Amino acid sequence: MTAKRIADGVYYTGTIDWDRRTFDELVTLPRGTSYNSYLISGTSATALIDTTEPSRAAELLRTLEEMDADIKYIVSQHAEQDHSGTIPELLEIYPEAEVIGTPACIELLQELLRINGNFREVKDGESISLGDRTLRFIVTPWVHWPDTMVTYLEGDGILFTCDFFGSHIATSDIMETPDDFLREAKRYYAHIMMPFSQMVASNLRKISELEVSMMAPSHGPVISEPGLIMDAYDTWTSGGEGVVIAYTTMHGSTRVMVERLTEKLMELDVSVRPVNVAEHDTGEFLTELVDASVLVVASPTVLTRPHPAIASVLYLVNALRPPLRHVAVMGSYGWGSLIESEVRKLLSNLNVEYLESVLVKGLPVEEDLQRVDELAMKIKGVNEW
Ligand SMILES: Cc1cc2nc3c(=O)[nH]c(=O)nc-3n(C[C@H](O)[C@H](O)[C@H](O)COP(=O)(O)O)c2cc1C
């Protein structure tokens, strides 16, 4: 790809993956993605910030060749291969280049890529000079791994944010904010940032002290209105208020309960989103959890336990630790069920209070549905907390 100028002496040298539909064999990517790198030219040195996914190495090398880039510094903000994976090839072309990263990043680079290089560890707040411009490194651990840092181009106020504020969007208009940017940034947050929300919040406070004119993340478009995404992250790291119902059904009985609960919550003006997790993209469901305070798990009983489609998403919920405060279990069974205790086991990482379960033998009758209405009232009460 031809490099794109994003500011004076600052170029986007990323590669765009239009067709990729899953990341880490886990995160769904309806809009593809990009692996962003940036070249910054100063009067005495040129730095490349991050590289690209190994499968895209040739494309990045071609871009740099076209630019006749003479790279002195390769800044590795995070050792994960989608950012660092082309460092080995770059070191063959630029053997004298210094690879700059946090101590944790450099250790990981050696372990993940098995490279020997001219490594230079930097501490929080340390700078390097490119002559007429200066790069300052700000350590932001756990956004996304313990090794991560962001890079601030002094004077221009451009913040290279690595995974922070990223979005999986493939776009040719790298400087435009697409209409669905916040939705995709939220999906990205749900999968990558949510388990570390407290660290993310503290790093958000740290970078809010900087004068930032533009953010240049490692995935998705450049952000020309930093306030937009900073406010969104502030909201997402503060927890939510809505209700998400994760459900599935084999013969329709659980669905009857879910429909009644949804209707009743809507009557009560409670924001609710039912998701049939066996039918829908798991990423959609996880994204809804960013704003939720109550999760209702509604499942038929299968071999005494929740349906496997439910168990599978609960595994992810337990790992991603959304800001939930309450969980309720509902569902239909035939002769005997252990789903309530199993859900508690599957969600053992969450610090939540359980509301009374509504478990129904077979198809719910009006009396059962009144218990669903009572659950809705309880949810309304706790959601107003
Ligand atoms: C493969 C399979 C396994 C089941 N295992 C159990 C079970 O262990 N205990 C039980 O009470 N019901 C079991 N059932 C019965 C369902 O839980 C029951 O039909 C329930 O009403 C289905 O709810 P649904 O209509 O929402 O799918 C099983 C059903 C199927 C298809």
Side-chain angles (χ1 to χ4, degrees):
M1 207 195 90
T2 309
K4 285 200 169 201
R5 179 190 172 280
I6 63 166
D8 215 16
V10 184
Y11 299 89
Y12 173 81
T13 50
T15 60
I16 303 175
D17 202 337
W18 301 97
D19 294 329
R20 192 160 180 182
R21 286 295 172 267
T22 47
F23 203 89
D24 298 339
E25 302 302 326
L26 184 69
V27 183
T28 43
L29 308 179
R31 298 272 264 115
T33 191
S34 63
Y35 318 107
N36 299 345
S37 59
Y38 301 90
L39 192 83
I40 304 159
S41 271
T43 46
S44 67
T46 296
L48 181 71
I49 300 199
D50 290 325
T51 68
T52 188
E53 176 76 20
S55 61
R56 300 273 156 163
E59 205 178 323
L60 173 61
L61 297 183
R62 201 168 48 243
T63 304
L64 296 175
E65 196 184 350
E66 275 168 20
M67 298 177 81
D68 204 15
D70 182 16
I71 294 168
K72 182 165 182 196
Y73 301 114
I74 301 169
V75 177
S76 181
Q77 302 190 107
H78 169 31
E80 195 175 1
Q81 288 88 334
D82 52 321
H83 314 285
S84 69
T86 302
I87 293 177
E89 283 86 346
L90 282 166
L91 288 179
E92 281 175 24
I93 298 170
Y94 307 101
E96 303 299 319
E98 273 188 307
V99 179
I100 295 178
T102 63
C105 179
I106 287 180
E107 192 182 329
L108 275 168
L109 284 176
Q110 287 165 307
E111 284 159 355
L112 297 177
L113 301 176
R114 301 292 171 201
I115 44 173
N116 292 312
N118 207 353
F119 292 114
R120 172 159 163 191
E121 293 182 355
V122 286
K123 293 192 193 70
D124 190 29
E126 206 171 319
S127 300
I128 56 163
S129 170
L130 306 179
D132 58 340
R133 42 206 357 193
T134 301
L135 293 177
R136 186 175 2 140
F137 306 109
I138 297 144
V139 177
T140 51
W142 293 107
V143 187
H144 148 222
W145 283 1
D147 62 331
T148 315
M149 67 178 190
V150 298
T151 305
Y152 185 60
L153 178 59
E154 308 265 7
D156 295 67
I158 301 176
L159 188 65
F160 300 90
T161 58
C162 197
D163 280 339
F164 221 168
F165 313 122
S167 59
H168 285 303
I169 297 177
T171 172
S172 59
D173 304 319
I174 200 71
M175 298 298 285
E176 299 284 323
T177 307
D179 292 344
D180 59 350
F181 168 66
L182 279 183
R183 179 72 197 166
E184 288 308 318
K186 187 176 178 186
R187 175 194 288 266
Y188 189 91
Y189 174 90
H191 290 83
I192 304 295
M193 304 291 162
M194 197 157 64
F196 316 114
S197 59
Q198 286 182 11
M199 290 303 291
V200 174
S202 103
N203 283 307
L204 192 62
R205 286 191 292 276
K206 190 171 182 181
I207 62 163
S208 67
E209 288 161 17
L210 301 167
E211 192 79 27
V212 178
S213 62
M214 187 193 290
M215 284 173 172
S218 294
H219 298 288
V222 167
I223 305 160
S224 49
E225 270 184 75
L228 186 78
I229 189 74
M230 297 272 286
D231 288 350
Y233 262 62
D234 195 28
T235 307
W236 299 336
T237 52
S238 309
E241 277 204 342
V243 179
V244 174
I245 307 174
Y247 82 97
T248 197
T249 187
M250 301 181 296
H251 303 300
S253 299
T254 305
R255 179 181 288 120
V256 173
M257 301 167 79
V258 168
E259 284 173 358
R260 178 71 165 240
L261 182 66
T262 305
E263 211 171 285
K264 191 72 191 170
L265 287 170
M266 285 173 70
E267 261 174 52
L268 294 169
D269 283 330
V270 176
S271 155
V272 55
R273 170 76 202 268
V275 186
N276 184 339
V277 297
E279 301 283 336
H280 284 64
D281 168 10
T282 307
E284 271 309 296
F285 163 68
L286 296 172
T287 306
E288 293 297 332
L289 290 179
V290 169
D291 300 310
S293 72
V294 179
L295 172 66
V296 178
V297 179
S299 174
T301 296
V302 174
L303 303 173
T304 72
R305 305 274 190 294
H307 188 283
I310 292 283
S312 155
V313 294
L314 293 189
Y315 176 88
L316 283 169
V317 173
N318 197 46
L320 295 175
R321 289 180 285 133
L324 296 166
R325 293 195 291 268
H326 292 87
V327 171
V329 180
M330 287 200 323
S332 172
Y333 65 98
W335 51 92
S337 177
L338 295 173
I339 73 164
E340 191 184 351
S341 58
E342 193 62 21
V343 168
R344 284 175 186 254
K345 272 193 240 162
L346 286 165
L347 297 181
S348 60
N349 275 347
L350 304 190
N351 183 14
V352 289
E353 223 174 277
Y354 281 81
L355 303 175
E356 204 175 312
S357 302
V358 184
L359 297 174
V360 173
K361 208 164 178 207
L363 186 65
V365 295
E366 185 50 32
E367 209 174 283
D368 300 315
L369 295 175
Q370 279 170 19
R371 287 165 62 209
V372 173
D373 293 347
E374 282 163 25
L375 176 61
M377 298 294 290
K378 277 190 202 127
I379 290 174
K380 163 89 176 164
V382 298
N383 199 47
E384 278 174 354
W385 173 84

